[in-house]
Structure formats: structure tokens, C-alpha cells
Amino acid sequence: MFGFFTNYKKAAMKFLSQHQVGQRLFSTGDGGRKMRFLREKGYVISERVSENRWVHEIVKKP
């Protein structure tokens, strides 16, 4: 059960390793727990551009 709560953190770190600082990514939603974690840590800035479209920009890496 404990592993379930950390999966999104591992996914978030893998996501950062696969993308570059300054890269902008588009999604249909706020990105869920993974993006919420990255926003809280200050690695990603997200902006809602329409009713169901979001832009996520990577501003720094750990």
C-alpha cells in the first residue's frame, strides 16, 4: 500500500529526466498528481489556456 503513494513521485522524476528545462508541454487536463507534485516543488509552472487545455513549462530540475 505504501508504494502506491510514491509511484507518482517516481513518475514525476522520470518525467523531468526525459524533458529539458524551458520545454513547454500541452495536455488535456491539469496533469494529475504527478504535475501537482512538480508544481509544489517548483519544477513546473502550469497555465490553463482553455476550458480543458493546459500548458506545463519546466522551469528547473533537481
Side-chain angles (χ1 to χ4, degrees), residues 4-56:
F4 173 75
F5 294 107
T6 59
N7 284 343
Y8 70 94
K9 292 180 183 178
K10 274 197 325 192
M13 291 299 120
K14 185 173 184 178
F15 172 83
L16 282 180
S17 71
Q18 294 173 339
H19 296 87
Q20 302 298 319
V21 172
Q23 189 171 357
R24 294 168 54 103
L25 303 145
F26 295 87
S27 69
T28 55
D30 69 348
R33 294 171 80 180
K34 175 177 68 177
M35 285 299 182
R36 197 171 312 124
F37 172 74
L38 292 173
R39 283 192 297 270
E40 288 173 1
K41 294 291 185 182
Y43 299 137
V44 172
I45 295 174
S46 298
E47 180 182 346
R48 190 177 201 162
V49 292
S50 72
E51 187 174 323
N52 61 352
R53 299 276 294 168
W54 288 71
V55 171
H56 310 283

